[in-house]
Amino acid sequence: MRVAIMQPYFLPYIGYFQLMGQVDCFVVYDNIKYTKKGWINRNRLLRNGEPVTFSLPLAAGSDALDIRDRHLAQDFNRRKLLAQLTEAYRLAPQFPALKAWLEELVLFDENRLFDYLLHSLRQVHSRLALSCELRVSSSVDADHELRGQERVLAICKALGATTYINPTGGVELYEPAAFAAQGIELKFLKSTLPTYPQGPHPHVPALSIIDVLAFNDLPTIQDMLNRGFVFH
């Protein structure tokens, strides 16, 4: 059983889904603190050849709240966000086939931040024909009072993991010996950020998965998911 555990992000870059494609069970944290400076509720699109940030506005809330206890702002204009994405990608070759799907995703009527994010991840998971199970962290019977590596190990043990795969950015956070002591192999995945045509401009890497979907057909994307990374 290969497992990954990640925070939820809004329409994240392709590396997030490459990780999904390499595991049997992908756990999404809901009972973890929301971090302001991360990518939980924002990402980047391509506009006139330049990266531009788009985001989900949040209702005011304590920094102590978990992601599952945060809410989208009451004045969040879903149609404005949809128009922003549409304007950015309306001339992209795959956008006509993407338009109705993207509309359903963005207009999803849910104000809880985690549930809105999880819905978007499930939608991309389905569109990319990924086969891993998506689990919510609080549904796993583990000690969620633990932190860091110990919490990851507890979730892995509860799921019967034999391999834990993390993005390469977590190399400094985890000790292979601690995982090996529990009979779990620790691996790190690094996306090679596949390049692809984005119109007349030079390629801009690591944009939202929407950029990948707008400019590439499914077989091309599946090839990126299967080969566009290395293990450390």
Side-chain angles (χ1 to χ4, degrees):
M1 167 76 82
R2 299 165 298 169
V3 172
I5 309 171
M6 291 289 290
Q7 289 184 340
Y9 298 117
F10 186 50
L11 300 173
Y13 83 127
I14 192 170
Y16 194 95
F17 298 100
Q18 288 170 332
L19 181 60
M20 263 193 200
Q22 293 304 304
V23 298
D24 304 298
C25 183
F26 190 94
V27 180
V28 185
Y29 275 126
D30 65 328
N31 52 354
I32 195 170
K33 297 292 181 287
Y34 168 79
T35 53
K36 290 182 179 179
K37 296 183 179 180
W39 292 92
I40 291 172
N41 60 309
R42 66 190 181 100
N43 220 291
R44 301 187 307 157
L45 55 76
L46 188 69
R47 180 185 294 160
N48 299 322
E50 298 293 332
V52 176
T53 299
F54 63 95
S55 61
L56 303 174
L58 301 184
S62 167
D63 290 344
L65 291 176
D66 286 344
I67 294 171
R68 63 183 175 180
D69 297 319
R70 296 301 303 265
H71 289 77
L72 297 169
Q74 287 295 322
D75 61 355
F76 170 36
N77 190 330
R78 289 164 172 78
R79 291 202 173 274
K80 182 177 179 180
L81 174 58
L82 179 63
Q84 185 180 12
L85 292 166
T86 300
E87 178 60 26
Y89 293 112
R90 61 188 177 83
L91 299 180
Q94 301 300 320
F95 190 75
L98 193 67
K99 186 177 180 180
W101 172 85
L102 184 62
E103 180 174 337
E104 193 280 332
L105 187 156
V106 174
L107 299 183
F108 183 57
D109 188 18
E110 172 57 65
N111 287 323
R112 288 181 293 272
L113 173 63
F114 178 78
D115 292 342
Y116 188 85
L117 296 176
L118 183 63
H119 174 261
S120 68
L121 291 175
R122 290 193 186 281
Q123 290 295 97
V124 179
H125 175 277
S126 176
R127 193 164 188 91
L128 297 180
L130 293 167
S131 61
C132 66
E133 177 188 10
L134 293 183
R135 290 283 300 270
V136 175
S137 60
S138 62
S139 73
V140 179
D141 186 14
D143 183 355
H144 292 282
E145 296 301 315
L146 297 171
R147 292 292 179 263
Q149 177 174 277
E150 294 307 311
R151 186 181 192 185
V152 169
L153 281 168
I155 293 173
C156 284
K157 289 170 63 179
L159 294 172
T162 55
T163 303
Y164 177 67
I165 307 177
N166 199 78
T168 191
V171 168
E172 302 298 324
L173 301 177
Y174 303 115
E175 302 170 3
F179 284 80
Q182 302 292 336
I184 302 170
E185 179 185 12
L186 176 62
K187 300 175 72 173
F188 294 96
L189 183 148
K190 180 179 181 179
S191 175
T192 57
L193 298 178
T195 61
Y196 49 89
Q198 291 172 318
H201 306 286
H203 180 75
V204 179
L207 300 177
S208 164
I209 192 65
I210 297 301
D211 191 88
V212 178
L213 287 163
F215 285 107
N216 301 276
D217 60 20
L218 183 57
T220 300
I221 298 173
Q222 289 177 330
D223 186 62
M224 294 177 187
L225 293 174
N226 293 327
R227 300 199 299 170
F229 59 86
V230 293
F231 280 117
H232 289 271

